[in-house]
Amino acid sequence: MEKPMSVLVLGINYSPETTGIAPYTSGLASELARGSNRVRVITTFPHYPQWEFHGGRPPRVVTSVENGVRVVRRRHVLPRRPGGIARALSELSFGASAAVTRFGRADIIVLVSPALISSALLLLKARLMSRRPVVLWVQDLYSLGLRELGSGQSSLSERVVAAVERWCLRSADAVVVIHERFRDTLVQTMGVRAENVTVVRNWSHVGDGDVIDRDATRAALGWAHDDFVVLHAGNMGVKQGLENVVDAAREVGPGSKVRFVLLGDGSQRDHLVALGADVPAVSFVESLADDEFLQALGSADALLVNERAGVSGMAVPSKLTSYFSTGLPVIAATDPGSVTESEVRLAEAGPVVAAGNPGALLATAEALAADPTSAAKWGANGLRFRAERLTDRASFDTFTQLLRRLVRPRARYSSKESGNV
């Protein structure tokens, strides 16, 4: 039997947040704890994607045990508008609060990025204060994000972020990425050694066998039984470029049954609600609890991942792992050559249209509504891809094996040290 490990996980997002990277961080921590490992998490209080603390201002620090994991939550500064310098300062505040928390006697440290700035600060502390191996778990690439969402001209801030990100990636003992394209970017353009990079796919955290009460859910949400509902679920931020969806809904003609629904929250939600106020073919649903979210997801007719034009390599939308679990077709409105396009095409889970083209998005939705046979085939393909490539067991096993491989040399070294005392 393998000796239990003591694992410290540091990340700004954690359960009970249900979107973004939180389900993966909390899922891995809980799985490691189920394997009799001692797991401690340093995080902050739930705040995403609303960018406000759930339930009001929390205390400065709270410690609890959740699913066998000892969780230390430290309050950090939330930005009023989550972007630019304000977001950087927010990440810095979390990094500072986490850095003054005792790391304890962990065998290995896992840093989750985002947030990059806090990860850099915590990596520096780990390097200065201990010989413990550090794994950097990369969910988004900041330098790519700034380049793809920026003005197109390199700025001082972009160069600084790129330098910090490169230092973190090169300084960690191992880097875990969520897609093969990320690995290629790290090795080919950021100078990270190939042997230091491991691909661990984000798994589907939607359970099998969930019973969907389609009629009751659609009635509760105000969807007619014959509406063809195209649902976008998750964060409503700049990266998603959801003005495209509102514009597509604006073009819906008389007699069409296509309806677009935006479910979730985020920095752009109020702007989008105002933009769609006079558009009957688009509606908004607040963030839902897990069981209600799954019911809404499964009661749509097609699921949408929409990206702003120019976004191609910075992230793999986490919503895809949930989408592929529904048996519904996925429409990807994204740039040609993007990671999202490659993922949806690899799964053969649905049609791909150009980002920022509302007419093409609407035409694709209309075509799906008119062709239920193709829609069902794409949905079945997504289910198969999920079963073959996105299982939590495969991801957990790969991650656990990596941690054990890094811990073993330290254990041998510590044993020799003890023998010399």
Side-chain angles (χ1 to χ4, degrees), residues 105-150:
R105 296 183 177 180
D107 296 319
I108 192 164
I109 298 171
V110 178
L111 300 177
V112 186
S113 180
L116 173 66
I117 295 173
S118 63
S119 294
L121 185 59
L122 296 168
L123 177 57
L124 181 60
K125 175 182 175 178
R127 284 287 172 258
L128 292 174
M129 300 188 66
S130 75
R131 297 182 181 181
R132 289 167 289 193
V134 177
V135 176
L136 184 61
W137 188 5
V138 178
Q139 295 278 344
D140 288 345
L141 292 173
Y142 271 62
S143 52
L144 276 181
L146 287 174
R147 192 182 314 150
E148 293 176 355
L149 295 176

Side-chain angles (χ1 to χ4, degrees), residues 341-359:
E341 181 199 39
S342 67
E343 193 76 347
V344 173
R345 290 198 187 282
L346 181 64
E348 298 182 315
V352 177
V353 299
N357 188 332

Side-chain angles (χ1 to χ4, degrees), residues 26-49:
S26 52
L28 176 67
S30 298
E31 175 63 21
L32 289 170
R34 280 192 291 271
S36 300
N37 299 291
R38 297 180 299 278
V39 185
R40 186 163 168 257
V41 170
I42 300 176
T43 185
T44 185
F45 293 88
H47 62 279
Y48 182 84

Side-chain angles (χ1 to χ4, degrees), residues 313-336:
M314 62 179 288
V316 182
S318 58
K319 61 174 60 66
L320 284 177
T321 61
S322 300
Y323 282 7
F324 292 153
S325 301
T326 63
L328 296 174
V330 176
I331 302 173
T334 182
D335 275 357

